[in-house]
Amino acid sequence: MPRLALYTFGVLTFPLSDPAPSTREFYDLGEAVHRRIAAHPGYLARAEPAGGEQGVLFGVDWGAWGEFAVPAWYAKARTPETTALAATLSLWTDPRSARDAVYSGLHREALTRRHDWFERSPHPTHVLWWVPDDGTPTWQEGVAKLERLQDHGPASQGFTFHHPFTPAGTPGRPSRRPAH
């Protein structure tokens, strides 16, 4: 049975190496969010550096998840001292499970504070797509699908929670946000 890939991307208002309290708060909350999401029903895996490096994105070995990539609209620097972005790539059993994890609990609380950490953007912040049950999505696929979503809107190749598609490629019904 196909699995669902979820790529998220946002440009931070500060570099990841910034020693300000808001940066530490972002990291601390992010770690707690990742732990909770990993325990959520329907969660399968997320891209993590093969060497366990934290806070380094470019030039790190991501194993089967491929080389780290970002959308063309990311115009900030790419060194460990200057990178100012947050991106995730994960695998899920279905859209409802992923949506419930994103829009409930600690992650939902973090979303209410997103403008404390992220620049406002006219670009989409996430894209979903189906992958074969033995496939692993790559960062490059996530970027290509997010850019395609930006340019052409939701389609079976890349869609949003609000405009989902089934594994067969037909438009699906959006699942309701959890009431948490």
Side-chain angles (χ1 to χ4, degrees), residues 7 71-73 123-124 126-129 140-160 163 165:
Y7 172 73
W73 61 78
H123 307 291
H126 76 278
V127 65
L128 301 127
W129 71 99
Q140 296 85 3
E141 286 176 311
V143 167
K145 291 182 182 299
L146 191 69
E147 289 175 340
R148 188 203 176 287
L149 177 66
Q150 165 76 27
D151 295 342
H152 303 288
S156 61
Q157 303 91 346
F159 49 92
T160 64
H163 294 102
F165 280 76

Side-chain angles (χ1 to χ4, degrees), residues 63-155:
W65 303 88
E67 183 180 340
F68 188 77
V70 294
W73 61 78
Y74 176 71
K76 293 189 177 184
R78 298 168 186 235
T79 67
E81 298 78 29
T82 58
T83 298
L85 66 90
T88 65
L89 180 58
S90 56
L91 269 174
W92 296 85
T93 56
D94 60 277
R96 183 178 187 100
S97 296
R99 184 179 183 118
D100 287 351
V102 169
Y103 293 111
S104 67
L106 192 55
H107 191 270
R108 181 181 178 151
E109 292 174 31
L111 284 175
T112 65
R113 304 229 10 246
R114 67 186 171 275
H115 298 302
D116 292 346
W117 305 306
F118 291 94
E119 294 179 356
R120 294 176 189 261
S121 174
H123 307 291
T125 59
H126 76 278
V127 65
L128 301 127
W129 71 99
W130 294 101
V131 297
D133 63 356
D134 61 347
T136 300
T138 67
W139 291 107
Q140 296 85 3
E141 286 176 311
V143 167
K145 291 182 182 299
L146 191 69
E147 289 175 340
R148 188 203 176 287
L149 177 66
Q150 165 76 27
D151 295 342
H152 303 288

Side-chain angles (χ1 to χ4, degrees), residues 162-179:
H162 191 67
H163 294 102
F165 280 76
T166 68
T170 58
R173 290 186 6 196
S175 58
R176 295 176 50 179
R177 285 188 182 175

